[in-house]
């Protein structure tokens, strides 16, 4: 149960409606997921978050699919169920294969494990990794 | 300061020495970083962790560089300084450009933000994301 | 599904019942939420947690509403759904407006993002911030 | 040791220099802290992050000091040393007293504890907290 | 809703079926829980994870029950609902009493609190704790 | 660098001095570690935290060493360097052997890995684990 209502299209302020229109135009689909419907209570926060997401997730030096893999990794590592579900769907929509997905899951698990080993043992950073 | 000493090559048990030899052969370098020197106190843990890392990080459906990007993402999201330093170095060694790196950092930051927004608002998962 | 049963009033030990009575007297309501009903299996833990909460959340240098905003922030950042739901309700009961709430959510999201940027880049603390 | 160099003013691209100028004008100080000097390697990321921070942290429904208290709480809960140091300094600069600070620390600790108790016991959310 | 289907016994590849057979033989029960049914989509990941779990959780210097207590602690501290539920059940199956369980929960909560206090105050490690 | 000064014995308020005296009497040592010297700025927070720690960490259904193992696990999983260092020292002082320590580290790592696998795959809790 969300802490605010999920706004339907007819509940939107004009500023929020404009963001929804851009989401639909950018994604080429009428579907707007719940995340934006909750944020729409604050049109400034909605607009800023959407503009950032649109910019950050667009293909650049990294392609769009790779960015979604990273997004899934962060979502898992921070424990956000909603984000795991939505970005796993997004990664699949952008071409992630099931073999790629299961390998991704394996890397995330491995990284989580060695993170905790390094933290437990308080391993100091090697000079070789301090090149800057 | 680590919680256990960092073993030098001459301190190693035969079982740990065998793992170090494989690390060197696999990576084609004499350098063995501190993480393994701390783990070497427990040769079984050392061997298991290295075998897993070798298997998981080898190119497969995902290439080795992409796997390092994911590793960095998890390390940042879980707050492991050692892992961030070592895997940023590893990703660069595997060809990550500075443009790719800064985009990666941007995606990690964005994902962290939307994770917390979704959690704060307790957004329910859309049916469209529940395809299984 | 909780890992222990949620105790009803008639299941309580005398020690737990005394804590429930104080919760009701302090909060001026008969309602005792599930958190305390689970803790009630261990009257010592229940009493200690309630005494601490009563002391910590009382108005002092910071007012009660501000303390609830901080509580929400921690709960979101640590990923506790129960705590997010219960303390968002508590903050509203103590006067948090919807405008304040959405701004709070925005600050939490922004902090989460810059946290991860600083961690990814391993930014060293400026001398100016080391005044002690 | 940061993963990228900290750019001095003379290293900045024109786009990054423009952001630094706005940071200085907005904050009314010549001092630009390390966080921005690391981000400056990616002027787009730098500009977006600064614009967001400027907007989010400005007084609104919540005053600037309260926002810094929330920022500290998130930074502690996510374990970002840099952010804890810099935002504790910022909160003091915006008027946080030592009494307020120690109470804040106490609330953060208490919230962390009850978060984990609720998660351990898997306490289900009360209907009374599901008002939306 | 899981991101992959939960495989029934008849859906398993021969490699996955072999792992399931070993899980059943090792645990002396026909029941195989959902975690393994999701992992079974990747028999290599399944086999590696099961072999590690079998090795790590076997009695050694620490007994099996103590290892489950530690497992619960990590699962709570990282916010994994599935893991909390499954390892609390496992710990009870290995003899954890309700008194031990509630004390465990109290220690986890206390540790979470003092963790955040130490992080908030950025307490430097005492020389006495740097014996290595 | 801590965010508050570390109080020496002669800086203490009478209330804080009384807590320090009890720490020394309980632990049978003159040494008081930095954590308490930072908390001492707020004698109420200091007293409450110490009373809780004294109660929670005393032998009960679980022995004192097992409680320290759990404390280490939480500290690692939450990424608190100070807590890892201080409680690893405490566990050793209470009899944790090096073999026990390395096994503990292995369990923590394994738990971290399977936590993330379960979260990534969004595995639903088995009915068998919902006995309450």
């Amino acid at each position: 149960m969300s802490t605010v209502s999920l706004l339907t299209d007819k509940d939107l302020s004009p500023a929020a409606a404009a963001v929804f229109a851009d989401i639909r135009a950018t994604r080429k689909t009428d579907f707007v997921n719940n995340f934006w419907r909750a944020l729409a209570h604050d049109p400034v926060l909605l607009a800023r978050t959407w503009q950032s997401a649109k910019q950050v997730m667009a293909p650049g030096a990294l392609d769009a699919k790779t960015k979604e893999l990273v997004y899934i990794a962060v979502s898992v590592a921070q424990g956000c169920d909603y984000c795991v579900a939505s970005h796993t769907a997004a990664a699949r929509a952008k071409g992630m294969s099931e073999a790629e997905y299961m390998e991704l899951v394996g890397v995330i698990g491995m990284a989580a494990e060695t993170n905790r080993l390094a933290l437990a043992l308080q391993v100091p950073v090697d000079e070789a990794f301090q090149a800057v």
Side-chain angles (χ1 to χ4, degrees), chain A:
Chain A
M1 189 65 65
S2 55
T3 63
V4 293
S5 60
L6 301 173
L7 297 187
T8 62
D9 287 8
K10 66 177 170 39
D11 301 320
L12 301 173
S13 66
V19 175
F20 273 42
D22 192 46
I23 292 174
R24 286 173 163 130
T26 302
R27 294 183 164 176
K28 301 187 194 344
T29 170
D30 196 54
F31 176 63
V32 177
N33 55 302
N34 289 341
F35 178 70
W36 307 107
R37 295 186 181 283
L39 279 186
H41 285 272
D42 183 338
V44 173
L45 176 58
L46 172 70
R48 186 168 56 76
T49 305
W50 166 246
Q51 288 304 323
S52 293
K54 191 163 87 162
Q55 180 190 50
V56 170
M57 298 307 282
L62 298 173
D63 62 84
K65 187 177 75 179
T66 299
K67 289 184 175 185
E68 289 292 348
L69 301 182
V70 170
Y71 224 104
I72 292 171
V74 173
S75 302
V76 171
Q78 297 201 149
C80 176
D81 293 337
Y82 183 84
C83 313
V84 170
S86 59
H87 285 279
T88 300
R92 282 172 168 152
K94 289 178 183 173
M96 177 181 72
S97 70
E98 291 311 289
E100 289 175 323
Y101 176 57
M102 293 305 292
E103 275 200 19
L104 171 70
V105 170
V107 174
I108 293 170
M110 183 80 214
E113 181 173 34
T114 58
N115 269 226
R116 296 320 185 196
L117 296 178
L119 255 159
L121 299 168
Q122 293 283 295
V123 183
V125 177
D126 304 72
E127 280 186 34
F129 300 148
Q130 303 183 329
V132 172

